[in-house]
Amino acid sequence: MHSSLPNTIDYIEMPSRNLAETKRFFAALFGWSFTDYGPDYAAFDDGRMAGGFFASENAAKELSILAARLRRKSSSSRVGRRFHFLAPGGGEFAIWSDK
């Protein structure tokens, strides 16, 4: 896929209780585009990371887009900042940013 390094992840899959809202959220957040494979799976590939979201009622409790954009917890250090959030499909994610 994207990496020839050993012991690296080259594809990740995540559950979503609301696939349409999850796609809309990550398209706005990262500019991702999606390829749908049936009604229950959407794949993305931004050139650095590839993966997909699959419809699942077992994902964490669904939240609205507004709630997902609110900061749940974050931390800072001398080298950067980490931000945790819940996406509309119910998944918890973290984003890392260099200072």
Side-chain angles (χ1 to χ4, degrees):
M1 292 261 173
H2 291 282
S3 177
S4 61
L5 299 174
N7 300 321
T8 58
I9 296 172
D10 66 354
Y11 197 89
I12 187 164
E13 293 185 325
M14 297 157 280
S16 172
R17 290 182 63 136
N18 187 327
L19 196 53
E21 286 299 318
T22 296
K23 288 169 39 179
R24 194 174 355 263
F25 178 77
F26 283 99
L29 183 65
F30 295 125
W32 289 350
S33 58
F34 293 89
T35 302
D36 293 329
Y37 294 96
D40 296 330
Y41 196 89
F44 66 90
D45 184 340
D46 69 0
R48 295 184 325 166
M49 180 175 57
F53 292 94
F54 60 93
S56 173
E57 291 302 314
N58 294 324
K61 186 177 179 182
E62 191 173 338
L63 298 175
S64 70
I65 289 178
L66 178 60
R69 289 182 177 166
L70 297 177
R71 183 171 73 201
R72 202 165 90 86
K73 59 184 175 181
S74 66
S75 60
S76 293
S77 71
R78 291 181 302 131
V79 295
R81 182 173 190 90
R82 185 174 65 194
F83 171 72
H84 288 253
F85 63 94
L86 296 173
E92 181 175 355
F93 296 87
I95 297 173
W96 171 262
S97 173
D98 293 337
K99 270 216 165 180

